[in-house]
Amino acid sequence: MLSRTADHLFWMSRYTERAENTARMLDVNYQTSLLPQSAAVAEVGWEGLLTISELMPSYRSRYGQGEVKPRDVLDFMVRDEDNPSSIVSCLRAARENARAVRGALTTELWETQNQTWLELTRMLKGKEFERDPGQFFEWVKFRSHLSRGVAIGTMLQDEAFHFYRMGTFLERADNTARLLDVKFHAVQSDFFGTASELDQEYDFYHWSAILRSVSGFEVYRKVYRDVIKPERVAELLILRADMPRSLHASMNELVSNLAVVANDHSSETERRAGKLRADLQYGRIDEILATGLHAFLTQFLDRVNELGGRISQDFLVPSLD
C-alpha cells in the first residue's frame, strides 16, 4: 500500500490513543484532587502530569513560573489548540488523518472519527467540560474504545488494519512507561523495591490511582488478591502479558502486526522489536528493581521511540528512489 496512506492510518490511531491516555491521566488527577490532601501534594500530582507528557516547558511559557494551578493544567491539556498534545489537538489530528485516507476506511470507522470531532466541538462550546470534567473524560475514553472496536469489527484485516494497530500499541507502550516512571518518581528518586515510608492511607490512594488510570484496579485485585504493593503494580503494568495496557501486552501486539507488514527493509526493526518483547517476556520484576525502575523505564522509552522512528523510515516515509 502507499506509504502515505499507511502514515495517515498509523497517526490516526496514535492520536486517538493519545487523547484517551491524556483523558485517563487527567481524570485520575482530578478525582485524586477531590481527596483530603495538602496543597503541596496536590501540586506535585499536577506537575507530574505535565512531566509525563513533556509539556512543562510549554506550560511555563504560557502560564509563568508560579504555582501549577489545576484549572490552568486542565485548560492547557484539554482545550488549548496551541498544545499539540491536548485532547482537542489530538482528536482534530486524528480526524484530519482519517479524512486524508477516507477511501481506506470503512464508512463506520470514518463516521465514528468524524462524529467524535463534531461532538467534542459541541461539548466544549456548551461548557460541558467545565460542568463535569469527570463525565467529559469518560466520554473521551468511550469514543476511543468505540473507534478501536469499530476498526476491529469492520475493517478488512489487511495492511491498513495492521498499521492502524501498530500506531495504537506503540502509543500505549510509550504512555504506560511514562506514567509508571513519573508516578514512581513521585515517591522516591528511584525505586529499588523498598516499601514506601508514606503513611498507608496515602500509599493506597497513590497506587490505586495509578491502577485506575490504566483500568487496572480490578485486574490487580483479581490477580494478586492482596493489598496494593508498589512492586506488584510495577510487575502488573510491565511484565503481565494478560494485562491489556501493560508494556508486555503492547509489545506483543506491536511485534505481531509488524511481522505481517514486514518488507525488505524492515528486518532490523523486527529484530529490535522482538528483542524488546523478549526482554519483557523473560524479565523478572526483582531483577528490574535490582537495577532501578527509573533506569529500566528510561531505556524502554528510548527503545520504543527508536522503534517508532524506524517504522516511519521503513514503511511511512515515501521512498526517494
Side-chain angles (χ1 to χ4, degrees), residues 2 11 40 45 66 76 97 119 179 194 210 238 256 259 273 275 306 308:
L2 288 173
W11 283 104
F76 181 66
N97 277 285
E119 281 188 37
L179 176 73
T194 53
I210 294 173
I238 294 173
S256 62
K275 189 171 185 300
E306 183 189 34

Side-chain angles (χ1 to χ4, degrees), residues 72-109:
D72 290 342
V73 176
L74 286 169
D75 197 60
F76 181 66
M77 296 292 287
V78 171
R79 60 191 312 158
D80 191 334
E81 297 185 9
D82 294 327
N83 171 12
S85 293
S86 70
I87 289 174
V88 70
S89 294
C90 287
L91 291 181
R92 183 204 289 113
R95 191 247 194 172
E96 290 305 312
N97 277 285
R99 186 166 65 174
V101 287
R102 172 69 187 85
L105 305 178
T106 60
T107 300
E108 291 91 339
L109 183 53

Side-chain angles (χ1 to χ4, degrees), residues 111-164:
E111 288 179 349
T112 300
Q113 293 288 148
N114 192 44
Q115 189 65 30
T116 297
W117 172 249
L118 296 175
E119 281 188 37
L120 175 71
T121 306
R122 178 188 59 77
M123 291 170 78
L124 292 179
K125 284 182 179 177
K127 305 290 185 183
E128 291 186 33
F129 165 63
E130 287 82 352
R131 279 199 295 275
D132 190 347
Q135 189 63 39
F136 175 81
F137 296 138
E138 285 298 321
W139 175 85
V140 175
K141 288 192 284 182
F142 170 76
R143 295 304 299 188
S144 177
H145 293 323
L146 184 63
S147 174
R148 205 158 45 244
V150 168
I152 293 171
T154 66
M155 282 184 74
L156 180 67
Q157 295 194 9
D158 57 1
E159 286 189 330
F161 176 80
H162 295 296
F163 281 112
Y164 175 89

Side-chain angles (χ1 to χ4, degrees), residues 10 31 76 124 140 151-152 250 255 281 297:
F10 180 79
Q31 301 295 346
F76 181 66
L124 292 179
V140 175
I152 293 171
S250 298
V255 168
Q281 184 176 349
L297 291 171

